[in-house]
Amino acid sequence: MTEQNRPRVLSGIQPTADSFHLGNYLGAVRQWIPLQDTHEAFYFLANLHAMTVEYDPAVLLHRTRVSAAQLLAAGLDPARCTLFVQSHVYEHAELQWILSCLTGYGEASRMTQFKDKSAKEGASAASVGLFTYPVLQAADILLYTPRVGEKDFQVPVGEDQRQHLELTRTLAGRFNHRFGATFVEPNAHILKSVAKITDLQEPERKMSKSSSSPQGIINVLDEPGPLRKKIMRAVTDTGTEIKYDPETKPGVSNLLTILSALNGTPIPDLEAHFAGAGYGQLKKELAEVALETFGPIRERTLELMDDPAELDRILAKGADRAAEVAAATMATVRERAGLLRRGG
């Protein structure tokens, strides 16, 4: 199948930490890799989205590069996909404004992130950027729309992003209705279900970069020694049987879930494998699998970060390709929205 005949797919990830964690890797990054061979794939670092909360500019710059390096190290190939930084393609912000003018206040205020932050911390704690975040996300997606009627357009989503994709479809349809057929309404590409990964130290809670302690979270870029130590010190449960039972054995169940996700062995097979073994054996084998999985990614990431000029060159080339598509979309959008073309 030639690239021209493939369905187009687009997804982004925010550079909001010094390392992706296990959930990012299993839920998004690892699943993007095979799509390079079946889709015309666009992947971006959503650094504009990372600005909706207070941040340090130097840290954002570093995290953008290290996030790109991790994606490349994990298996994204610039020859098989378009990898770029959101802020390098100026049309993202321009289309957001146009779509914002088509978005109702009520629609925006119902979006989950703004509602949750406002409810927890008060409306004054939530920025206008957070309020309009879903509209920027819609612009991110619709810039890469195929020609109307030409081919399918897919966006990888989990359950937590369905609301945003529905807003994107609504705004695409609204623009098409008012100004003429322009956007293909995107379809959800449902990512393979990934079992819930919980905190190593508090297995009743989800593993999260915002709420997990350093010892409770597995990072892709953890050094081998600390990574092994985290797993060996993971909280387990009373008793000695290695059995999957999230209610009575949340710690052991979490370790089995992680091991199954990393090596592809079904949990019942793991239970049989560990029959009669102790928790230490489970932790030891999980640590080895984690090191085998993340060690090469860490080494390659560090190599890429040692040559920032080459990393920036890769991202610039991706931005050139993305900008070609975005510019063509925006030329049509401006004309249909009644914006005067520069130069007459």
Side-chain angles (χ1 to χ4, degrees):
M1 184 187 299
T2 65
E3 184 168 284
Q4 288 72 26
N5 294 325
R6 294 175 179 174
R8 185 171 286 176
V9 65
L10 175 129
S11 196
I13 191 166
Q14 287 193 46
T16 52
D18 293 325
S19 172
F20 296 145
H21 63 69
L22 180 64
N24 302 137
Y25 176 75
L26 295 174
V29 178
R30 189 170 71 171
Q31 301 197 51
W32 290 358
I33 296 167
L35 292 174
Q36 298 175 114
D37 297 317
T38 57
H39 291 68
E40 183 187 5
F42 291 80
Y43 300 125
F44 66 96
L45 282 307
N47 60 337
L48 297 178
H49 288 295
M51 299 170 68
T52 60
V53 295
E54 188 174 346
Y55 69 96
D56 181 322
V59 171
L60 177 59
L61 181 62
H62 168 76
R63 288 176 172 175
T64 302
R65 280 202 180 102
V66 78
S67 295
Q70 287 175 87
L71 292 175
L72 293 167
L76 292 192
D77 181 356
R80 295 154 58 206
C81 70
T82 299
L83 176 64
F84 65 101
V85 177
Q86 182 186 29
S87 63
H88 288 171
V89 182
Y90 306 140
E91 286 84 357
H92 285 253
E94 182 182 3
L95 183 56
Q96 181 200 12
W97 174 252
I98 293 172
L99 295 179
S100 293
C101 295
L102 298 177
T103 306
Y105 177 83
E107 287 175 312
S109 62
R110 286 192 295 271
M111 296 294 106
T112 302
Q113 280 92 340
F114 184 81
K115 274 179 59 178
D116 289 351
K117 191 172 181 68
S118 298
K120 290 177 182 177
E121 303 177 31
S124 60
S127 68
V128 173
L130 186 65
F131 184 70
T132 60
Y133 165 97
V135 184
L136 177 57
Q137 191 172 53
D140 297 334
I141 294 167
L142 295 178
L143 275 177
Y144 302 93
T145 186
R147 295 175 186 171
V148 173
E150 183 178 291
K151 45 186 174 178
D152 188 18
F153 184 27
Q154 300 179 24
V155 180
V157 293
E159 285 301 321
D160 61 335
Q161 292 295 317
R162 280 185 178 274
Q163 184 189 40
H164 289 174
L165 186 62
E166 285 307 309
L167 178 64
T168 302
R169 290 176 57 84
T170 296
L171 294 178
R174 191 170 296 161
F175 187 99
N176 292 344
H177 177 73
R178 294 190 186 182
F179 303 119
T182 304
F183 298 117
V184 172
E185 295 183 18
N187 296 312
H189 176 94
I190 303 301
L191 292 170
K192 179 182 176 182
S193 178
V194 177
K196 181 182 177 182
I197 306 297
T198 60
D199 189 297
L200 296 180
Q201 293 299 312
E202 299 180 76
E204 297 83 6
R205 299 175 56 188
K206 181 180 178 181
M207 186 180 289
S208 167
K209 63 188 175 186
S210 61
S211 61
S212 293
S213 68
Q215 295 305 311
I217 190 167
I218 294 175
N219 291 308
V220 171
L221 299 184
D222 279 337
E223 294 184 0
L227 176 57
R228 186 186 298 275
K229 188 177 293 185
K230 285 181 182 182
I231 293 172
M232 296 306 294
R233 292 181 176 177
V235 169
T236 49
D237 312 289
T238 58
T240 59
E241 186 181 12
I242 296 177
K243 178 182 178 181
Y244 183 79
D245 184 347
E247 293 299 319
T248 63
K249 286 181 169 287
V252 170
S253 298
N254 187 43
L255 297 180
L256 287 170
T257 297
I258 295 171
L259 182 56
S260 176
L262 290 178
N263 72 4
T265 303
I267 286 178
D269 292 351
L270 291 175
E271 290 177 315
H273 171 70
F274 287 112
Y279 293 160
Q281 184 63 30
L282 169 60
K283 292 179 178 181
K284 181 180 177 182
E285 293 193 25
L286 173 56
E288 292 303 319
V289 170
L291 289 169
E292 289 173 5
T293 302
F294 296 131
I297 296 175
R298 179 178 182 276
E299 291 177 9
R300 179 57 180 150
T301 298
L302 294 177
E303 290 175 2
L304 289 163
M305 291 298 289
D306 280 340
D307 190 355
E310 173 61 12
L311 183 58
D312 290 355
R313 186 196 66 80
I314 293 171
L315 293 172
K317 188 173 182 180
D320 288 343
R321 164 62 182 145
E324 287 180 10
V325 177
T329 300
M330 280 307 303
T332 302
V333 169
R334 292 186 200 106
E335 179 183 357
R336 292 181 178 169
L339 300 180
L340 182 65
R341 186 173 60 184
R342 187 171 67 182

